[in-house]
Amino acid sequence: MNKTIDPPSSDYGATSRNENGNQNHNDTVIFEPVTPHPQEVMIGDLLTDIEATIKRHVVLPDAAATALAVWVLHTYVYELRDTVAYVAIESPEKRCGKTTLLTVLGAMANKPLIASNVTVGALFRAIDTCRPTLLIDEADTFLAGNTTMRGVINSGNTWRTAYVLRTTRSKSHQSPDREGAVPTNGIDSGLKRFSCWCPKVIAMIGKVPDTIADRSILVHMTRKLTTEIRAPLAELNIANIKSKCMRFAMDKRHIVAQCGKIRGEGLNDRAADTFDPLFVIVRLAGEEWEQKLHAAALVLSPIAGSKSTVAELLLDIYAIFLSSHREKIFTRVLVEHLRDEEYNVTSAALKDSSIDENKIAQLLRPYGIKPSLCRIGAQVARGYSIEQFADAIARYVPETDLAARMREIERENKLFEEADEIAAEREERKSGTVV
């Protein structure tokens, strides 16, 4: 870590440092001051309280509540790590609890700033000046068609790259030019770097854009049942939680800053970056929370729920090898299986297009998989072997998706075996061999 460890800010106005190291202060945005808790806090107990508060008001999966509890604590120390975690909340329709969850998170997070009807210039200046936790509700309308705004949010979740460059104009004392004339406008223009680096919550109807989801803890909301009763927001009480979070930031900031990167097993590079600052916190909370967060990360990282269309095709073909108990398969037979509903093909690469040998070869070629002559029994034709797919499967198919398909195949095989046993038993009874 090559970052300066400053003490936690006790000034809850909008404060930042200019290029000369002097403080800029802006009273336009004032955050509610938080007094640190007088006693040292037990981090595991604090995380449990935050998790329980979230679940008391919002219906969401346990994995999401676990990760979001750690994320809340992360907002108090995010500047001490190389990466910052975003939260992306999506739902298929209205009234699924997105705004309620955003409100609960904002109530507990450090220096929450809700962005509504804000211009691009105001947004990155607010982030640069306030270092807030930014909360964007109804992002589907907020970001619609606004590529510049999306660029500010997508600028990066690492502090080295999360900035935008903008031209500035300021008054200056200029020297005479070569002819001795002094410019009359007194204006000096140039470039200034504005930081866009802060924790962000983006809530929207529909699918979160991949560029945002890829940097986020991805939470999918559904409409709650009438039997799922939750406490109203009027009963939300977080004063004690915020004071304990501030005390945690005071007591543990040097440990958080100096801890090496923690990579969660089974996560891709981007997901590992996103969850690293959260893993650092739960390591201080104990083994139980480490295990809970790791399980949640595998579920909530975007790679767990999305893959490229060719990755889907790789998984479908691999499943055909396993389901049919083959080591080799002719291309023409593979095409027949991909057309057969029995094999539950999901690849979007084959939708709305003809499935033929040339199409499959074209899709697999960039991944180093090419058909070749092979012999199966007494027949020789062009085809593939299961070994050809091993490297591409390891590189491009998420482990969680592969494990899920393997479980599905095992379940199907077991059902067929049970059906065969029942059929065999019936035949034996008919033949009189079973009394």
Side-chain angles (χ1 to χ4, degrees):
M1 299 285 172
N2 297 317
K3 302 182 67 179
T4 303
I5 305 175
D6 296 324
S9 174
S10 59
D11 183 353
Y12 264 59
T15 303
S16 66
R17 295 187 181 277
N18 60 26
E19 296 176 354
N20 297 321
N22 300 319
Q23 284 194 338
N24 296 323
H25 189 82
N26 185 350
D27 290 327
T28 303
V29 181
I30 299 295
F31 299 100
E32 182 180 352
V34 178
T35 301
H37 195 270
Q39 299 177 345
E40 184 177 355
V41 299
M42 299 296 293
I43 302 171
D45 292 343
L46 174 57
L47 289 173
T48 299
D49 289 344
I50 299 173
E51 181 184 45
T53 299
I54 295 172
K55 296 171 71 172
R56 188 179 302 124
H57 297 277
V58 187
V59 175
L60 77 171
D62 289 342
T66 294
L68 293 177
V70 186
W71 178 86
V72 167
L73 204 50
H74 161 62
T75 65
Y76 289 78
V77 292
Y78 80 91
E79 293 179 281
L80 305 177
R81 303 299 296 174
D82 280 340
T83 57
V84 63
Y86 296 173
V87 174
I89 306 171
E90 62 181 22
S91 71
E93 296 184 9
K94 297 179 180 179
R95 298 192 295 111
C96 290
K98 299 185 308 302
T99 301
T100 301
L101 177 57
L102 185 139
T103 301
V104 172
L105 294 177
M108 293 186 287
N110 188 35
K111 295 196 288 188
L113 181 63
I114 297 178
S116 178
N117 296 323
V118 63
T119 65
V120 176
L123 180 64
F124 62 71
R125 284 176 171 82
I127 296 173
D128 186 78
T129 302
C130 305
R131 295 181 294 176
T133 298
L134 185 68
L135 302 113
I136 303 175
D137 198 6
E138 299 184 2
D140 45 314
T141 57
F142 188 79
L143 298 177
N146 195 333
T147 56
T148 305
M149 185 74 76
R150 185 178 295 185
V152 171
I153 295 175
N154 288 344
S155 60
N157 62 340
T158 63
W159 66 275
R160 293 179 178 86
T161 60
Y163 64 86
V164 295
L165 291 175
R166 290 294 185 270
T167 56
T168 61
R169 302 184 68 185
S170 60
K171 293 182 178 180
S172 64
H173 300 286
Q174 299 181 358
S175 302
D177 60 21
R178 291 182 179 180
E179 280 71 32
V182 178
T184 58
N185 56 12
I187 299 296
D188 185 21
S189 62
L191 287 175
K192 181 178 179 181
R193 180 168 133 168
F194 291 90
S195 174
C196 297
W197 193 59
C198 71
K200 301 178 180 71
V201 182
I202 300 98
M204 62 184 296
I205 296 173
K207 189 177 182 298
V208 173
D210 290 341
T211 51
I212 295 176
D214 203 30
R215 297 171 170 85
S216 303
I217 301 166
L218 189 58
V219 180
H220 183 75
M221 305 290 291
T222 57
R223 189 171 294 176
K224 70 182 181 69
L225 301 173
T226 56
T227 55
E228 295 174 319
I229 308 300
R230 293 295 184 269
L233 290 176
E235 298 178 10
L236 180 61
N237 184 0
I238 46 79
N240 200 38
I241 287 177
K242 296 199 71 164
S243 66
K244 289 183 177 180
C245 289
M246 183 59 71
R247 179 60 188 254
F248 159 80
M250 292 178 58
D251 291 345
K252 305 298 183 183
R253 60 189 301 102
H254 281 81
I255 298 177
V256 171
Q258 295 169 6
C259 181
K261 182 175 180 178
I262 301 176
R263 180 186 178 89
E265 183 179 353
L267 300 178
N268 68 359
D269 290 343
R270 183 61 62 83
D273 287 342
T274 297
F275 279 90
D276 160 69
L278 276 63
F279 283 131
V280 170
I281 292 173
V282 294
R283 177 159 292 185
L284 298 174
E287 183 177 355
E288 179 182 355
W289 268 97
E290 283 192 79
Q291 294 175 352
K292 285 178 60 176
L293 181 63
H294 182 256
L298 294 176
V299 174
L300 300 174
S301 58
I303 195 65
S306 64
K307 48 189 176 293
S308 69
T309 54
V310 175
E312 291 175 334
L313 177 61
L314 291 170
L315 187 54
D316 283 336
I317 295 175
Y318 193 67
I320 289 173
F321 274 109
L322 297 177
S323 297
S324 60
H325 306 287
R326 299 171 185 262
E327 294 294 324
K328 299 177 182 179
I329 190 169
F330 293 141
T331 309
R332 65 173 184 272
V333 177
L334 177 60
V335 170
E336 292 174 1
H337 288 338
L338 289 171
R339 290 173 176 167
D340 191 341
E341 294 182 359
E342 177 183 337
Y343 287 96
N344 191 27
V345 173
T346 62
S347 173
L350 300 177
K351 292 180 179 179
D352 301 323
S353 65
S354 59
I355 304 175
D356 57 28
E357 298 180 28
N358 290 333
K359 177 72 173 180
I360 292 177
Q362 178 184 4
L363 290 169
L364 295 179
R365 189 175 298 113
Y367 296 83
I369 303 173
K370 299 178 181 179
S372 60
L373 283 177
C374 59
R375 182 182 64 82
I376 302 177
Q379 298 183 25
V380 176
R382 297 185 72 81
Y384 300 91
S385 65
I386 192 171
E387 289 83 1
Q388 289 180 275
F389 291 82
D391 184 70
I393 290 287
R395 292 180 185 276
Y396 299 103
V397 176
E399 292 182 11
T400 50
D401 294 321
L402 178 59
R405 184 64 71 91
M406 295 289 287
R407 289 193 298 269
E408 181 182 343
I409 292 173
E410 290 175 1
R411 185 182 66 83
E412 291 175 353
N413 288 339
K414 184 177 181 181
L415 290 175
F416 282 117
E417 289 174 1
E418 292 174 351
D420 290 340
E421 290 174 0
I422 294 172
E425 184 177 341
R426 286 176 178 173
E427 288 298 321
E428 290 175 352
R429 289 183 181 278
K430 286 180 180 180
S431 64
T433 57
V434 176
V435 180

